[in-house]
Amino acid sequence: MSNVRSADQTARYTTAELFDVQTYPLDQADSPQYGAMVREAIEGLTSDNCAQLENFIRPDILAAMQQEADELSKEAVFHQANLNPYFTDAPEGTPADHPLNRFSPRRHGMVRGDRFARDGVIWSVFQNRDLCRFVAQALGYEQLHTYRDPYACTNVNVQPEGCEFAWHFDNNEFTVSFGLKQTDEGGEFEYVPNLRSRDDENYDAVQKVLDGDRTNLRSLKLRPGDLQLFRGGYTLHRVTAPKGGERQSLLLSYVTEPDDITTSDKAIRIWGEAHPDHYARDCQLAGAVSETP
């Protein structure tokens, strides 16, 4: 079975126009070089839950992406909250120093997916079939699809100067991101691989990291043009506060179900409003429930 389902819209740019195919031959899936690229990504994900492929984007395309992101950054929807590493409330009676009770401020902005021009470079990167196939193979999926949610399909993440993404675990299975803007100081992606598991939250080890233990910590800078594949469900991670400017990254969302889309209540909670497609999803889910025997 093919690793890629047809994208919702035809991309304007070819794979060779978007990516450094001399180093990363995305458009040569049967070549030994492509196989080596996939194996390298798998090795990083297997050992550390993280793979970084440097200078993945062509320089001219990167410059166009940065310009597009900068022009749209003023439209970012900003969120500010105090969150623990699990994005939950602490149960009553939880000790003050327990990881469930360790809340930290988080502030960042997200540019909605419907803001990107459908003939622009960012949308073309997201819709690229060869990239989607590679991501699926590297992450071990038989097939992935570009997320069709109108707001959350692809986003530019804006991290203002002095604002940290505090330590946390992800609720999603993986993230795919490109670096767009990075500061000389701060803005470092720090992570501790496999700190918890499906069967063990390992709260003692999490608490040590929150208290400053850096024994098993990994650190990297997501530079402009770099591609990062990351599994954050069991890997505690954060992005330190950028200094001297803001940090920007492009998030690409892929899903295993081609018609997956969020509901209106979740969209309103994240974006402040919902799209007609979200309400259509509500009706679809309600109809499925009513038809259940």
Side-chain angles (χ1 to χ4, degrees), residues 132-240:
C132 185
R133 178 187 59 230
F134 167 69
V135 169
Q137 292 175 340
L139 289 165
Y141 290 90
E142 184 177 5
Q143 186 175 24
L144 285 176
H145 315 273
T146 51
Y147 192 28
R148 58 181 292 266
D149 188 281
Y151 295 170
C153 51
T154 185
N155 308 107
V156 167
N157 191 7
V158 180
Q159 185 177 357
E161 180 178 7
C163 294
E164 176 182 305
F165 289 174
W167 289 111
H168 65 281
F169 295 101
D170 289 342
N171 292 324
N172 51 325
E173 295 184 17
F174 62 86
T175 57
V176 179
S177 54
F178 281 103
L180 291 178
K181 183 185 289 186
Q182 181 61 276
T183 55
D184 291 333
E185 292 187 64
E188 294 182 355
F189 184 82
E190 298 185 338
Y191 61 106
V192 184
N194 300 311
L195 197 60
R196 68 173 180 174
S197 68
R198 186 182 301 273
D199 302 316
D200 183 8
E201 288 290 348
N202 201 10
Y203 287 127
D204 289 343
V206 173
Q207 183 171 332
K208 288 180 180 178
V209 175
L210 298 181
D211 289 338
D213 180 23
R214 300 176 67 86
T215 303
N216 297 311
L217 184 141
R218 315 282 197 274
S219 180
L220 64 84
K221 281 266 195 177
L222 188 64
R223 299 291 183 183
D226 291 357
L227 170 63
Q228 182 184 34
L229 310 179
F230 182 67
R231 291 195 185 101
Y234 300 113
T235 294
L236 190 68
H237 57 287
R238 71 173 179 177
V239 180
T240 64

Side-chain angles (χ1 to χ4, degrees), residues 66-78 107 109-112 115-116 156-158 181 246 248:
Q66 290 171 323
Q67 180 179 349
E68 187 175 356
D70 270 338
E71 290 173 353
L72 290 171
S73 63
K74 61 181 179 296
E75 300 182 30
V77 178
F78 274 84
R107 180 175 183 269
M110 298 280 277
V111 178
R112 286 182 358 193
R115 295 297 192 252
F116 300 106
V156 167
N157 191 7
V158 180
K181 183 185 289 186
E246 68 179 22
Q248 292 182 2

Side-chain angles (χ1 to χ4, degrees), residues 8 38 45 61 64 66 89 109 122 137 166 178 216 241 259 270 290:
D8 290 342
V38 173
L45 289 162
I61 293 297
Q66 290 171 323
D89 294 326
I122 286 179
Q137 292 175 340
F178 281 103
N216 297 311
D259 296 322
I270 297 171
S290 65

